[in-house]
Amino acid sequence: MTERRIRVLIGKPGLDGHDRGAKTVASVLRDHGMEVVYTGLHQTPAMIAEAAAQEDVDVVGLSLLSGAHMALFPRVRDELTARGKGDVLLVGGGIIPHDDMDSLEGDGFAKLFGPGTPTTDIATWIQEEMEKRFEREGEEA
Amino acid sequence: MSGAAETTTDPRALWEEALNSAKLRDVDFTTLSGEELKALYTSEDASFDEERDLGMPGQFPFTRGVHPTMYRGRLWTMRQFAGFGSAAQTNERFKFLLAHGQTGLSVAFDFPTLMGRDSDDELSLGEVGQVGVAISSLADMETLFDGIPLGEVSTSMTINGPAPILLAFYIAAAENQGVAPEAIRGTVQNDILKEYQAQHAWLVAPEPALRMITDMMSYCADRAPQWNTISISGYHIREAGSTAAQELAFTLANGMEYVRRGVAAGMDVDSFAPRLSFFFDSHLDFFEEICKFRAARRIWARKLRDEFGAKDPKSWMVRFHTQTAGVSLTAQQPENNIVRTAYEALAAVLGGTQSLHTNSMDETLSLPTEKAVKIALRTQQILAEETEVANVIDPLAGSYFVEAQTNRLEAEAEAYFQEIEERGGVVPCIESGFIQSEIHRSAVKYQRAVERGDKRVVGVNCYTEEGDGPPEIDLHRIDPAVEREQHRRLGELRSTRDEKGAGEALEAIRAACRDGSNLQARFVAAAHAYCTLGEIAQVLREEFDQYKEPKIL
């Protein structure tokens, strides 16, 4: 059995220019054996969803530090659904108040990671979630 | 071999023996930037000639400070960066800060403004008023400074890509208050090179952006001589993950590029170099930061005098603003951030800063609350009034360690200058992603060090507490109504202004883009005609090349 590599898209929606976190996480996920596509800055929700569909990723991670997450994150989710990618593992991080994390986690996001989260925790969490998913897919197939 | 033969009475040898045989703490003895440190510095480590390398305060090479009196003459300016929501809300915060003893204003803009987009642009969705104040036209600028006399305050505006346009709004707002451009004092950040490198709010490609900057420098040299035209900024480079040496090197390399551009545009270096100022980060490594500030002054003085041939001592001086390190703050146990910020502020003052912003404890969670902002301001006031550190100029000079690190940082910066030159200069190093990659590499290296536990962060990887979950402090949230209100205001502006005059002002900008005449004067005219930021920026986007981020990963 060949182990399937996890494919991840890291996206920066909106006009926010803070990309240290997104790029650091992208590098660390790559170190953990995942295939990572980084969108670059200043992407609209549609651009991110389009890239996710084209690259056929398993995971979409959004990073936003500008406070626009409540306006933009759900739009990315909607754009993904519109392209038949509503089933990706959708995660996010940035400067996001806990109330907003809770509400996004109840609204299509699997997990929000706050400031100070070790990047290895993010990688491990994604690996564990994806293993569960791959197992389920295996059972169904 | 008998044991007693090697016995020595040399103090140095005895000390080394004691150190080498002792059990030391099992940690990396390195700077925050990862530089190996010795346990002890002596005269052997710190070679410096007092006259050549330190000088007197207010004298070349300014290592000891830019003023002969330093804080005995005047304390640093306590300048808290503020801006959120609407112009009216930020105007209230400004009046609050002025009433509590702040001595200068500093405007934070929201992302749409930073990117040259009006609040009602489709791309501005969700961002209006979030990380700063939304300013889409002269009307917003007039509201922002309502009741604040622009001939009396000094104002710093953190704006880059569209800086020439925002400065035009400010000049027009001052003129409408009856204040001539000659009388306004302040700074626009206007440091586009570091935007491509680190902060990422640009309008157009580097070459046209640099042309707009030289146009502004030339306009201000003639019309607004008290205005600082560029605040060459290491802050964002550092916050993006660079080391102290990289912050120093890239910032000064950018500064030298602006000087080259000004000279190439036909200006005398002494006509604009005195209006260049700097902006640095003050991070947690106390001594490394102090040495960075001292090295910055010495390097710039030498470059400007000896390489660029500047004659005016004001051209040689690094006058700088400092902000404590936002990235050093933690979401866990946020009250600890008050302590971190206080140490960073002390380093900035011992490094001779001209002005200072201290971060608020809650900034990893949201915009600061009024209470948190007040504590941050009080931190500076305690430093100024109670600690007695402002009494003596450059008190750490002559310390073997401090002089050795100052020399080390200068040498590291020189090595980068050489490498950047070999790679064709700053702009090619941006286009190839070289500088961005260097910063990214340092960011990842530091993150790994924290995660391995080699670098310790209280509340994050040591001294953690059960329930370091959602902290129970008040959050400052922006009401989505701000965005709707901005849409209404813009609609009203467009329906009540003289459309023909606005259209002509935009066409005058287009013509200047093509024929090379000075754009800054055209921006001021367009501001008076109530052209919006987005409209003016759109002309520039149509006329000039766009910037495309190089892929570095």
Side-chain angles (χ1 to χ4, degrees), chain A residues 104-116:
Chain A
L104 289 165
E105 283 176 3
D107 198 18
F109 278 75
K111 182 91 176 153
L112 275 294
F113 298 99

Side-chain angles (χ1 to χ4, degrees), chain B residues 260-319:
Chain B
R260 271 183 217 111
R261 298 293 175 139
V263 171
M267 282 181 268
D268 172 9
V269 63
D270 287 318
S271 76
F272 66 90
R275 302 321 300 180
L276 302 176
S277 64
F278 290 82
F279 172 26
F280 290 108
D281 202 301
S282 189
H283 216 305
L284 278 166
D285 189 322
F286 187 72
F287 289 107
E288 190 172 46
E289 294 305 283
I290 293 168
C291 298
K292 178 186 75 184
F293 302 129
R294 299 175 81 247
R297 280 191 294 267
R298 185 159 79 203
I299 296 168
W300 188 253
R302 287 177 173 166
K303 296 285 177 196
L304 267 283
R305 189 188 74 174
D306 303 339
E307 287 183 25
F308 293 100
K311 305 259 181 323
D312 183 348
K314 287 198 172 69
S315 298
W316 308 336
M317 290 180 195
V318 164
R319 294 168 297 121

Side-chain angles (χ1 to χ4, degrees), chain B residues 163-293:
Chain B
I165 307 169
L166 272 290
L167 174 61
F169 290 165
Y170 190 84
I171 289 170
E175 285 177 332
N176 287 354
Q177 282 188 6
V179 177
E182 285 74 9
I184 59 168
R185 287 182 303 123
T187 305
V188 272
Q189 195 165 79
N190 198 30
D191 174 8
I192 198 66
L193 293 170
K194 69 91 177 56
E195 291 298 321
Y196 305 117
Q197 296 162 3
Q199 180 163 261
H200 308 316
W202 50 72
L203 205 55
V204 291
E207 289 301 333
L210 286 163
R211 176 210 155 169
M212 288 197 278
I213 290 172
T214 48
D215 282 0
M216 182 200 288
M217 291 197 297
S218 155
Y219 175 94
C220 288
D222 290 344
R223 292 297 318 275
Q226 300 189 79
W227 193 266
N228 296 314
T229 48
I230 314 179
S231 169
I232 305 157
S233 304
Y235 188 80
H236 318 86
I237 293 170
R238 190 65 178 283
E239 294 282 299
S242 84
T243 63
Q246 288 170 335
E247 177 191 1
L248 180 67
F250 298 151
T251 308
L252 297 182
N254 291 344
M256 289 187 274
E257 186 64 22
Y258 295 123
V259 173
R260 271 183 217 111
R261 298 293 175 139
V263 171
M267 282 181 268
D268 172 9
V269 63
D270 287 318
S271 76
F272 66 90
R275 302 321 300 180
L276 302 176
S277 64
F278 290 82
F279 172 26
F280 290 108
D281 202 301
S282 189
H283 216 305
L284 278 166
D285 189 322
F286 187 72
F287 289 107
E288 190 172 46
E289 294 305 283
I290 293 168
C291 298
K292 178 186 75 184
F293 302 129

Side-chain angles (χ1 to χ4, degrees), chain B residues 116-137:
Chain B
R117 303 274 171 188
D118 287 340
S119 295
D120 57 0
D121 189 300
E122 207 184 357
L123 296 174
S124 304
L125 177 83
E127 309 265 14
V128 176
Q130 288 285 355
V131 301
V133 61
I135 301 292
S136 297
S137 75

